[in-house]
Amino acid sequence: YSPQLGIRVHHGFEMMAKVLFDNMRPYLRKDYALRISGQSLGAAEALILAMMLGKDGYQVEKIITFGQPKVTDEQGVKAYGSLPLTRVVDMNDVVPLLPPDSLVYDDDPYVHFGSEVVLLEGDHYCIGDNSFSNRKIPKSMVKELSVPEVQNLLQQHSIRGYVSSIRDKLVNSNPVPCSEANRYLPAADRLPAQ
């Protein structure tokens, strides 16, 4: 539980965001519109930092994260769900699925919020409602992984992996409904039909 934010958040992410908040606050003005971004651990910290700044009266105009893990539960979503958050998620990146559903506190799992842009294969992408990143960890990722498989997962999570996937969409992008995103996933990883 974070007394500063009034919600439950991942403690490690919050500690790092607090350091950033304390270090940058002397340089900020409340009449400035702030844009915050981060990738991976930095994405989690960026979101919690935005929560802290918003709560302290700063104007958070936009938050864009890449490969962000989950940072809070449903109560956190209720309290901060109006933040202008866009999460960019690569379809092959496991980090946005963490912490897993099996890690719950008082039967209240961590969940994502904000607008979700899912980078699919090639020039395809979808903009969704967080069902992609709030799904269970795909079966193909719940096994003993070989070194090449681990290296591939790390590549998909790296900022280079994200840049490469976005580059595929710069010249010709092809939005698809998120209801069709399953077509771009291996059969074992597909979401169950709604």
Side-chain angles (χ1 to χ4, degrees):
Y1 180 81
S2 168
Q4 181 178 4
L5 295 173
I7 59 169
R8 289 184 214 165
V9 293
H10 185 284
H11 181 66
F13 299 157
E14 181 194 23
M15 286 182 0
M16 293 305 299
K18 177 102 172 81
V19 169
L20 292 169
F21 179 73
D22 291 342
N23 286 334
M24 70 182 349
R25 194 167 34 177
Y27 303 101
L28 299 177
R29 292 181 21 188
K30 292 191 176 180
D31 60 329
Y32 284 176
L34 303 175
R35 296 179 188 145
I36 304 167
S37 185
Q39 191 263 339
S40 190
L41 170 62
E45 294 166 4
L47 177 54
I48 295 173
L49 175 64
M51 292 174 179
M52 292 174 176
L53 289 165
K55 181 137 180 138
D56 207 36
Y58 291 91
Q59 183 184 345
V60 178
E61 182 178 79
K62 190 72 182 161
I63 312 151
I64 300 176
T65 65
F66 298 84
Q68 176 203 310
K70 301 170 192 171
V71 302
T72 191
D73 58 15
E74 284 291 341
Q75 292 301 315
V77 172
K78 287 178 186 171
Y80 294 94
S82 63
L83 284 172
L85 171 63
T86 300
R87 292 181 317 93
V88 180
V89 178
D90 187 282
M91 66 177 268
N92 295 311
D93 187 0
V94 68
V95 172
L97 305 177
L98 301 174
D101 280 355
S102 58
L103 181 62
V104 296
Y105 300 97
D106 300 323
D107 298 322
D108 193 12
Y110 283 25
V111 292
H112 281 296
F113 65 95
S115 176
E116 179 178 59
V117 178
V118 182
L119 304 174
L120 301 168
E121 288 295 324
D123 63 354
H124 296 90
Y125 71 94
C126 70
I127 298 175
D129 61 359
N130 298 301
S131 60
F132 190 84
S133 293
N134 281 330
R135 75 192 196 282
K136 294 190 183 308
I137 293 179
K139 292 175 187 172
S140 67
M141 295 178 185
V142 182
K143 62 178 182 167
E144 190 172 318
L145 298 172
S146 67
V147 171
E149 288 172 318
V150 170
Q151 288 172 333
N152 184 49
L153 286 175
L154 292 175
Q155 175 60 32
Q156 290 306 130
H157 180 65
S158 74
I159 196 65
R160 283 185 179 160
Y162 275 83
V163 168
S164 176
S165 186
I166 291 168
R167 189 176 295 126
D168 291 344
K169 294 153 187 60
L170 288 178
V171 175
N172 182 32
S173 61
N174 190 359
V176 298
C178 280
S179 61
E180 294 179 21
N182 274 345
R183 293 177 41 200
Y184 302 92
L185 298 174
D189 297 346
R190 292 184 181 157
L191 296 168
Q194 300 286 347

